[in-house]
Each structure stands twice: as structure tokens, then as C-alpha cells.
Amino acid sequence: MGGVDLEDHKNKRELFGIIGHPVKYSLSPAMHNAAFKALGINAEYKLMDISPDDPEELANFCYETDLNHIGGFSVTMPYKNQIMEYCDHYDPLAKMVSSVNTVNVEDSQLIGYNTDAMGAAAALQEKTEIKDKKVLLLGAGGAAKAIAYALREFNAEVFIYNRTLEKAEALAEELKLETIDLDAIGGADFDIIVNATSVGMKPNIEETILRSEQIPQHAVVMDIITSPLKTQLLKEAEEAGAEIVTGERMLLHQAAGQFEIWFKQDAPIQVMEGALYAELEKRVD
Ligand code: ATR
């Protein structure tokens, strides 16, 4: 099979993994393999790079999950939407946000889920309540849509800012939210600010949509970017005296959600958290 190295699982261990391209920097194997080890689950979680250059590679991977003893898999860029074509079913949240980041293989069927939305909410909830809060969401892509949906579920008052206004308006219309102009943000006194754009991601680490003057001191500011963890936006937030939530918190909670879907039991979140930070320590930022 194409570029996916699945090895021969002679002892019939169940195989899990992450499909996407590129996946070599993924932090998911560290978290999931630590969870398997801690709970004595006979499974392994691997990187499964699927090249976007070969349209058949994704299809073949999906058709051969049973053959390869695959119990489930994570999905990352660029396949979160495309994978839906191969899912036999998906849960209503995944359908609503048109994005699947988790697939469970059940009776030879692929069932798609989205744990990004609730992962983002759980990461925020470590620092603040979401209910009735005034939230600024930066971005209107796939990640922003999942987060907007979760925030709305918690009854937050959500305003969307996006570089391309039409996309912000389309998302706001679909989810019955508001849009806001960049120059109105500073005076709007937001409680929570979430960056769901790629602005500030390596190598453009000096970029930020907002400066400290636009961030209220009482705000909680979260960035979903994990490379670097402390983005320029979060530096600006700290300068404003605001609290910050770095991207690995969402990563941890979405991974815990995946574990719960695959194994129908609570995730050993502290074990996963330890493995995540141990892995991050190894990487020079
Ligand atoms: P994802 O699925 O990860 O959300 P996406 O759908 O490509 O990815 O969305 C990327 C988001 O980052 C969009 O909101 C995009 O804004 P546009 O809709 O205007 O393209 C935003 N984004 C990316 N680069 C940006 C930049 N340099 N400045 C402002 N916004 C940017």
C-alpha cells in the first residue's frame, strides 16, 4: 500500500494511527501509546502519512482497514473533510462542522467523529467558564467552524473576525453568530479570544492579528497553534495582563476524546498529558 508503512501485525495487535500529510511532527503517537501502555491495551499507534499526490492512497487505506487490523485512526490536514467521503456514518457534530478528526472502525464500517470542537472547549474551561461569555473567534476555516460550534453549544456570545469578510459572514450566518471588524475589536471588551487561523505559525512567528492594546486585561486568550506554543498573539495577551491557553491543551483534550471513542472508557488523561509534555521537551522550539 502506497506510502503507508503498516508492517505485519503478526500478533494481531490492534493498530491505530494518524493519517494526514505531513504527520511526522504529530504529538499524537506519544499520547496514545502512553495511554495504551498504562492501561495494558494491546495496541500500537503509528504515523500513517498519506500522500496527497496519489488520489488512490486515501481510498485504499480506508478500504483495507480490516485487513490491516486498524481499530481506528485520527485524521489531520489535509483530510478532515475528504475522509467523510469514505465514512459509512458520522456523528451529527462532525456533519455539522464538515470535519472528521477521528474515525472508529466498527463492524467493518468507518464511523466519523469530531473531537476538536469539544477539545477546544475543554482547554478553555481549564481557565474560564464559557457560558454567557463574550467571545472573539479569529478565523473562519475548518478549525474555526468546529470551535464556533462548540462555543455556541456553551451559550457563548460569539463574534467572528476573518481576513476574508465573506467567509466570516457565511460562517456567522450558518451558525447564527455575529461578525466584527478589526478596528472594532479593541473597544468590544471580549472575555475570551480564540485564534483559529494559522497566523503566527512557524515560520511566521512574528505575525499576529491583534496587539496587546486590543486585548482586555481580564480576557482569556487561546491559540490553537502548537508550533510555536507561545505565539506572538499569546505574547501580546501576556503583555496586556490576560491569561493564556497554549495549543497543546486543545491537542490533549481532543486526543482524550478520541481515546474515549475508540475504547469506550475514560482516557487516562494524566498519563497522556505527561507523555505530551515529555515529547514537547524533546523538541527544540
Ligand atoms: P483550517 O481548516 O486549519 O481552519 P483553513 O480552512 O485554510 O484551515 O483556514 C485558515 C484560516 O486562517 C482562515 O480563516 C484564513 O483566513 P482567510 O479566510 O481570509 O483565508 C486564516 N488565515 C490564514 N493566513 C492568514 C493571514 N496571513 N492573515 C489572516 N488570516 C489568515
PDB file of all heavy atoms in Angstrom, residues 77 80 138-145 161-165 167-168 195-199 204 207 209 224, ligand 1:
ATOM      1  N   MET A  77      -4.779  17.410   8.739  1.00  0.00           N
ATOM      2  CA  MET A  77      -4.702  18.082   7.445  1.00  0.00           C
ATOM      3  C   MET A  77      -3.987  17.200   6.433  1.00  0.00           C
ATOM      4  O   MET A  77      -3.005  16.565   6.789  1.00  0.00           O
ATOM      5  CB  MET A  77      -3.884  19.360   7.591  1.00  0.00           C
ATOM      6  CG  MET A  77      -4.553  20.386   8.468  1.00  0.00           C
ATOM      7  SD  MET A  77      -4.849  21.876   7.540  1.00  0.00           S
ATOM      8  CE  MET A  77      -3.210  22.484   7.272  1.00  0.00           C
ATOM      9  N   LYS A  80      -9.392  16.143   6.722  1.00  0.00           N
ATOM     10  CA  LYS A  80     -10.501  16.181   7.684  1.00  0.00           C
ATOM     11  C   LYS A  80     -11.871  16.263   7.016  1.00  0.00           C
ATOM     12  O   LYS A  80     -12.856  15.805   7.572  1.00  0.00           O
ATOM     13  CB  LYS A  80     -10.336  17.354   8.653  1.00  0.00           C
ATOM     14  CG  LYS A  80      -9.250  17.121   9.691  1.00  0.00           C
ATOM     15  CD  LYS A  80      -9.264  18.221  10.730  1.00  0.00           C
ATOM     16  CE  LYS A  80      -8.199  17.962  11.773  1.00  0.00           C
ATOM     17  NZ  LYS A  80      -8.254  18.930  12.874  1.00  0.00           N
ATOM     18  N   LEU A 138     -11.105  34.292  15.971  1.00  0.00           N
ATOM     19  CA  LEU A 138     -10.330  34.739  14.810  1.00  0.00           C
ATOM     20  C   LEU A 138     -10.253  33.585  13.820  1.00  0.00           C
ATOM     21  O   LEU A 138      -9.726  32.518  14.149  1.00  0.00           O
ATOM     22  CB  LEU A 138      -8.917  35.151  15.244  1.00  0.00           C
ATOM     23  CG  LEU A 138      -8.834  36.241  16.320  1.00  0.00           C
ATOM     24  CD1 LEU A 138      -7.376  36.408  16.777  1.00  0.00           C
ATOM     25  CD2 LEU A 138      -9.387  37.562  15.795  1.00  0.00           C
ATOM     26  N   GLY A 139     -10.788  33.784  12.614  1.00  0.00           N
ATOM     27  CA  GLY A 139     -10.720  32.753  11.583  1.00  0.00           C
ATOM     28  C   GLY A 139     -12.099  32.258  11.194  1.00  0.00           C
ATOM     29  O   GLY A 139     -13.067  32.379  11.971  1.00  0.00           O
ATOM     30  N   ALA A 140     -12.177  31.714   9.985  1.00  0.00           N
ATOM     31  CA  ALA A 140     -13.456  31.185   9.507  1.00  0.00           C
ATOM     32  C   ALA A 140     -13.238  29.925   8.670  1.00  0.00           C
ATOM     33  O   ALA A 140     -14.043  29.589   7.806  1.00  0.00           O
ATOM     34  CB  ALA A 140     -14.193  32.250   8.700  1.00  0.00           C
ATOM     35  N   GLY A 141     -12.133  29.217   8.924  1.00  0.00           N
ATOM     36  CA  GLY A 141     -11.844  27.969   8.216  1.00  0.00           C
ATOM     37  C   GLY A 141     -12.458  26.784   8.956  1.00  0.00           C
ATOM     38  O   GLY A 141     -13.346  26.958   9.801  1.00  0.00           O
ATOM     39  N   GLY A 142     -11.939  25.592   8.639  1.00  0.00           N
ATOM     40  CA  GLY A 142     -12.488  24.374   9.234  1.00  0.00           C
ATOM     41  C   GLY A 142     -12.334  24.345  10.747  1.00  0.00           C
ATOM     42  O   GLY A 142     -13.279  23.988  11.471  1.00  0.00           O
ATOM     43  N   ALA A 143     -11.172  24.734  11.240  1.00  0.00           N
ATOM     44  CA  ALA A 143     -10.934  24.708  12.690  1.00  0.00           C
ATOM     45  C   ALA A 143     -11.848  25.712  13.387  1.00  0.00           C
ATOM     46  O   ALA A 143     -12.453  25.409  14.429  1.00  0.00           O
ATOM     47  CB  ALA A 143      -9.468  25.027  12.980  1.00  0.00           C
ATOM     48  N   ALA A 144     -11.972  26.890  12.801  1.00  0.00           N
ATOM     49  CA  ALA A 144     -12.827  27.923  13.402  1.00  0.00           C
ATOM     50  C   ALA A 144     -14.278  27.451  13.475  1.00  0.00           C
ATOM     51  O   ALA A 144     -14.965  27.693  14.470  1.00  0.00           O
ATOM     52  CB  ALA A 144     -12.733  29.208  12.582  1.00  0.00           C
ATOM     53  N   LYS A 145     -14.700  26.750  12.444  1.00  0.00           N
ATOM     54  CA  LYS A 145     -16.096  26.307  12.421  1.00  0.00           C
ATOM     55  C   LYS A 145     -16.387  25.325  13.562  1.00  0.00           C
ATOM     56  O   LYS A 145     -17.413  25.435  14.247  1.00  0.00           O
ATOM     57  CB  LYS A 145     -16.408  25.653  11.069  1.00  0.00           C
ATOM     58  CG  LYS A 145     -17.869  25.352  10.888  1.00  0.00           C
ATOM     59  CD  LYS A 145     -18.141  24.921   9.456  1.00  0.00           C
ATOM     60  CE  LYS A 145     -19.605  24.595   9.269  1.00  0.00           C
ATOM     61  NZ  LYS A 145     -19.899  24.121   7.915  1.00  0.00           N
ATOM     62  N   TYR A 161     -14.095  37.290  13.535  1.00  0.00           N
ATOM     63  CA  TYR A 161     -13.314  38.167  12.657  1.00  0.00           C
ATOM     64  C   TYR A 161     -12.516  37.275  11.708  1.00  0.00           C
ATOM     65  O   TYR A 161     -11.880  36.305  12.151  1.00  0.00           O
ATOM     66  CB  TYR A 161     -12.321  39.062  13.434  1.00  0.00           C
ATOM     67  CG  TYR A 161     -11.326  39.658  12.469  1.00  0.00           C
ATOM     68  CD1 TYR A 161     -11.709  40.698  11.623  1.00  0.00           C
ATOM     69  CD2 TYR A 161     -10.049  39.102  12.306  1.00  0.00           C
ATOM     70  CE1 TYR A 161     -10.838  41.187  10.659  1.00  0.00           C
ATOM     71  CE2 TYR A 161      -9.178  39.584  11.345  1.00  0.00           C
ATOM     72  CZ  TYR A 161      -9.577  40.622  10.530  1.00  0.00           C
ATOM     73  OH  TYR A 161      -8.735  41.090   9.561  1.00  0.00           O
ATOM     74  N   ASN A 162     -12.537  37.606  10.431  1.00  0.00           N
ATOM     75  CA  ASN A 162     -11.717  36.872   9.461  1.00  0.00           C
ATOM     76  C   ASN A 162     -11.196  37.841   8.408  1.00  0.00           C
ATOM     77  O   ASN A 162     -11.874  38.800   8.046  1.00  0.00           O
ATOM     78  CB  ASN A 162     -12.548  35.771   8.788  1.00  0.00           C
ATOM     79  CG  ASN A 162     -11.677  34.811   8.013  1.00  0.00           C
ATOM     80  OD1 ASN A 162     -10.687  34.296   8.540  1.00  0.00           O
ATOM     81  ND2 ASN A 162     -12.004  34.566   6.754  1.00  0.00           N
ATOM     82  N   ARG A 163      -9.957  37.577   7.964  1.00  0.00           N
ATOM     83  CA  ARG A 163      -9.358  38.418   6.919  1.00  0.00           C
ATOM     84  C   ARG A 163     -10.305  38.558   5.733  1.00  0.00           C
ATOM     85  O   ARG A 163     -10.544  39.649   5.233  1.00  0.00           O
ATOM     86  CB  ARG A 163      -8.026  37.774   6.483  1.00  0.00           C
ATOM     87  CG  ARG A 163      -7.366  38.454   5.311  1.00  0.00           C
ATOM     88  CD  ARG A 163      -6.082  37.749   4.956  1.00  0.00           C
ATOM     89  NE  ARG A 163      -6.290  36.338   4.581  1.00  0.00           N
ATOM     90  CZ  ARG A 163      -5.331  35.511   4.234  1.00  0.00           C
ATOM     91  NH1 ARG A 163      -4.078  35.907   4.249  1.00  0.00           N
ATOM     92  NH2 ARG A 163      -5.600  34.262   3.900  1.00  0.00           N
ATOM     93  N   THR A 164     -10.864  37.438   5.293  1.00  0.00           N
ATOM     94  CA  THR A 164     -11.820  37.475   4.188  1.00  0.00           C
ATOM     95  C   THR A 164     -13.224  37.586   4.777  1.00  0.00           C
ATOM     96  O   THR A 164     -13.769  36.626   5.329  1.00  0.00           O
ATOM     97  CB  THR A 164     -11.696  36.179   3.340  1.00  0.00           C
ATOM     98  OG1 THR A 164     -10.316  35.980   3.030  1.00  0.00           O
ATOM     99  CG2 THR A 164     -12.512  36.254   2.069  1.00  0.00           C
ATOM    100  N   LEU A 165     -13.783  38.776   4.665  1.00  0.00           N
ATOM    101  CA  LEU A 165     -15.053  39.083   5.330  1.00  0.00           C
ATOM    102  C   LEU A 165     -16.183  38.150   4.897  1.00  0.00           C
ATOM    103  O   LEU A 165     -16.979  37.694   5.727  1.00  0.00           O
ATOM    104  CB  LEU A 165     -15.432  40.547   5.059  1.00  0.00           C
ATOM    105  CG  LEU A 165     -16.773  41.012   5.644  1.00  0.00           C
ATOM    106  CD1 LEU A 165     -16.773  40.917   7.160  1.00  0.00           C
ATOM    107  CD2 LEU A 165     -17.098  42.432   5.190  1.00  0.00           C
ATOM    108  N   LYS A 167     -16.161  35.081   4.154  1.00  0.00           N
ATOM    109  CA  LYS A 167     -16.133  33.786   4.845  1.00  0.00           C
ATOM    110  C   LYS A 167     -16.627  33.930   6.282  1.00  0.00           C
ATOM    111  O   LYS A 167     -17.310  33.056   6.812  1.00  0.00           O
ATOM    112  CB  LYS A 167     -14.728  33.183   4.797  1.00  0.00           C
ATOM    113  CG  LYS A 167     -14.430  32.556   3.438  1.00  0.00           C
ATOM    114  CD  LYS A 167     -13.009  32.050   3.325  1.00  0.00           C
ATOM    115  CE  LYS A 167     -12.712  30.861   4.192  1.00  0.00           C
ATOM    116  NZ  LYS A 167     -11.267  30.474   4.090  1.00  0.00           N
ATOM    117  N   ALA A 168     -16.282  35.056   6.903  1.00  0.00           N
ATOM    118  CA  ALA A 168     -16.774  35.307   8.269  1.00  0.00           C
ATOM    119  C   ALA A 168     -18.296  35.424   8.242  1.00  0.00           C
ATOM    120  O   ALA A 168     -18.998  34.864   9.097  1.00  0.00           O
ATOM    121  CB  ALA A 168     -16.149  36.589   8.822  1.00  0.00           C
ATOM    122  N   ASN A 195      -7.685  32.204  18.740  1.00  0.00           N
ATOM    123  CA  ASN A 195      -7.134  32.246  17.388  1.00  0.00           C
ATOM    124  C   ASN A 195      -7.268  30.883  16.728  1.00  0.00           C
ATOM    125  O   ASN A 195      -6.644  29.916  17.158  1.00  0.00           O
ATOM    126  CB  ASN A 195      -5.655  32.641  17.396  1.00  0.00           C
ATOM    127  CG  ASN A 195      -5.097  32.657  15.979  1.00  0.00           C
ATOM    128  OD1 ASN A 195      -5.772  33.115  15.047  1.00  0.00           O
ATOM    129  ND2 ASN A 195      -3.903  32.137  15.786  1.00  0.00           N
ATOM    130  N   ALA A 196      -8.077  30.820  15.669  1.00  0.00           N
ATOM    131  CA  ALA A 196      -8.221  29.579  14.908  1.00  0.00           C
ATOM    132  C   ALA A 196      -7.733  29.792  13.476  1.00  0.00           C
ATOM    133  O   ALA A 196      -8.200  29.146  12.541  1.00  0.00           O
ATOM    134  CB  ALA A 196      -9.675  29.119  14.928  1.00  0.00           C
ATOM    135  N   THR A 197      -6.788  30.725  13.301  1.00  0.00           N
ATOM    136  CA  THR A 197      -6.142  30.908  11.997  1.00  0.00           C
ATOM    137  C   THR A 197      -4.715  30.351  12.108  1.00  0.00           C
ATOM    138  O   THR A 197      -4.265  29.973  13.187  1.00  0.00           O
ATOM    139  CB  THR A 197      -6.033  32.391  11.594  1.00  0.00           C
ATOM    140  OG1 THR A 197      -5.008  33.019  12.376  1.00  0.00           O
ATOM    141  CG2 THR A 197      -7.336  33.127  11.776  1.00  0.00           C
ATOM    142  N   SER A 198      -4.018  30.358  10.987  1.00  0.00           N
ATOM    143  CA  SER A 198      -2.625  29.903  11.011  1.00  0.00           C
ATOM    144  C   SER A 198      -1.665  31.081  11.215  1.00  0.00           C
ATOM    145  O   SER A 198      -0.451  30.908  11.115  1.00  0.00           O
ATOM    146  CB  SER A 198      -2.313  29.171   9.711  1.00  0.00           C
ATOM    147  OG  SER A 198      -2.747  29.954   8.612  1.00  0.00           O
ATOM    148  N   VAL A 199      -2.201  32.252  11.525  1.00  0.00           N
ATOM    149  CA  VAL A 199      -1.341  33.436  11.698  1.00  0.00           C
ATOM    150  C   VAL A 199      -0.497  33.296  12.971  1.00  0.00           C
ATOM    151  O   VAL A 199      -1.038  33.105  14.062  1.00  0.00           O
ATOM    152  CB  VAL A 199      -2.188  34.726  11.771  1.00  0.00           C
ATOM    153  CG1 VAL A 199      -1.284  35.940  11.987  1.00  0.00           C
ATOM    154  CG2 VAL A 199      -3.003  34.889  10.498  1.00  0.00           C
ATOM    155  N   ASN A 204       6.345  31.965  10.382  1.00  0.00           N
ATOM    156  CA  ASN A 204       5.984  33.390  10.501  1.00  0.00           C
ATOM    157  C   ASN A 204       5.637  33.760  11.941  1.00  0.00           C
ATOM    158  O   ASN A 204       4.545  34.240  12.231  1.00  0.00           O
ATOM    159  CB  ASN A 204       4.805  33.700   9.570  1.00  0.00           C
ATOM    160  CG  ASN A 204       5.132  33.329   8.137  1.00  0.00           C
ATOM    161  OD1 ASN A 204       6.207  33.659   7.632  1.00  0.00           O
ATOM    162  ND2 ASN A 204       4.244  32.612   7.475  1.00  0.00           N
ATOM    163  N   GLU A 207       4.072  37.168  13.335  1.00  0.00           N
ATOM    164  CA  GLU A 207       2.757  37.677  12.915  1.00  0.00           C
ATOM    165  C   GLU A 207       1.699  37.496  13.998  1.00  0.00           C
ATOM    166  O   GLU A 207       1.693  36.503  14.719  1.00  0.00           O
ATOM    167  CB  GLU A 207       2.299  36.952  11.648  1.00  0.00           C
ATOM    168  CG  GLU A 207       3.131  37.323  10.440  1.00  0.00           C
ATOM    169  CD  GLU A 207       2.638  36.656   9.167  1.00  0.00           C
ATOM    170  OE1 GLU A 207       1.646  35.909   9.207  1.00  0.00           O
ATOM    171  OE2 GLU A 207       3.276  36.885   8.130  1.00  0.00           O
ATOM    172  N   ILE A 209      -2.667  38.808  14.651  1.00  0.00           N
ATOM    173  CA  ILE A 209      -3.809  39.613  14.188  1.00  0.00           C
ATOM    174  C   ILE A 209      -4.063  40.756  15.171  1.00  0.00           C
ATOM    175  O   ILE A 209      -4.423  41.853  14.772  1.00  0.00           O
ATOM    176  CB  ILE A 209      -5.062  38.723  13.994  1.00  0.00           C
ATOM    177  CG1 ILE A 209      -4.811  37.737  12.848  1.00  0.00           C
ATOM    178  CG2 ILE A 209      -6.305  39.577  13.706  1.00  0.00           C
ATOM    179  CD1 ILE A 209      -5.905  36.717  12.619  1.00  0.00           C
ATOM    180  N   ILE A 224      -4.748  27.982  18.947  1.00  0.00           N
ATOM    181  CA  ILE A 224      -4.745  26.538  18.667  1.00  0.00           C
ATOM    182  C   ILE A 224      -3.439  26.102  17.999  1.00  0.00           C
ATOM    183  O   ILE A 224      -3.201  24.922  17.811  1.00  0.00           O
ATOM    184  CB  ILE A 224      -5.966  26.098  17.829  1.00  0.00           C
ATOM    185  CG1 ILE A 224      -5.896  26.622  16.395  1.00  0.00           C
ATOM    186  CG2 ILE A 224      -7.259  26.526  18.490  1.00  0.00           C
ATOM    187  CD1 ILE A 224      -6.881  25.922  15.468  1.00  0.00           C
TER     188      ILE A 224
HETATM  189  P1  ATR B   1      -8.220  25.228   8.903  1.00  0.00           P
HETATM  190  O1  ATR B   1      -9.040  24.106   8.359  1.00  0.00           O
HETATM  191  O2  ATR B   1      -6.997  24.775   9.627  1.00  0.00           O
HETATM  192  O3  ATR B   1      -9.033  26.178   9.695  1.00  0.00           O
HETATM  193  P2  ATR B   1      -8.352  26.884   6.551  1.00  0.00           P
HETATM  194  O4  ATR B   1      -9.716  26.385   6.294  1.00  0.00           O
HETATM  195  O5  ATR B   1      -7.412  27.011   5.403  1.00  0.00           O
HETATM  196  O6  ATR B   1      -7.618  25.981   7.618  1.00  0.00           O
HETATM  197  O7  ATR B   1      -8.465  28.312   7.298  1.00  0.00           O
HETATM  198  C1  ATR B   1      -7.359  29.070   7.600  1.00  0.00           C
HETATM  199  C2  ATR B   1      -7.807  30.322   8.353  1.00  0.00           C
HETATM  200  O8  ATR B   1      -6.649  31.124   8.632  1.00  0.00           O
HETATM  201  C3  ATR B   1      -8.744  31.221   7.573  1.00  0.00           C
HETATM  202  O9  ATR B   1      -9.613  31.870   8.472  1.00  0.00           O
HETATM  203  C4  ATR B   1      -7.773  32.201   6.903  1.00  0.00           C
HETATM  204  O10 ATR B   1      -8.346  33.428   6.537  1.00  0.00           O
HETATM  205  P3  ATR B   1      -8.977  33.613   5.048  1.00  0.00           P
HETATM  206  O11 ATR B   1     -10.335  33.019   5.112  1.00  0.00           O
HETATM  207  O12 ATR B   1      -9.009  35.094   4.850  1.00  0.00           O
HETATM  208  O13 ATR B   1      -8.050  32.916   4.108  1.00  0.00           O
HETATM  209  C5  ATR B   1      -6.815  32.418   8.050  1.00  0.00           C
HETATM  210  N1  ATR B   1      -5.516  32.933   7.592  1.00  0.00           N
HETATM  211  C6  ATR B   1      -4.511  32.224   7.024  1.00  0.00           C
HETATM  212  N2  ATR B   1      -3.455  33.029   6.767  1.00  0.00           N
HETATM  213  C7  ATR B   1      -3.808  34.287   7.166  1.00  0.00           C
HETATM  214  C8  ATR B   1      -3.154  35.576   7.184  1.00  0.00           C
HETATM  215  N3  ATR B   1      -1.893  35.719   6.733  1.00  0.00           N
HETATM  216  N4  ATR B   1      -3.838  36.611   7.699  1.00  0.00           N
HETATM  217  C9  ATR B   1      -5.076  36.483   8.183  1.00  0.00           C
HETATM  218  N5  ATR B   1      -5.762  35.292   8.195  1.00  0.00           N
HETATM  219  C10 ATR B   1      -5.131  34.222   7.699  1.00  0.00           C
END
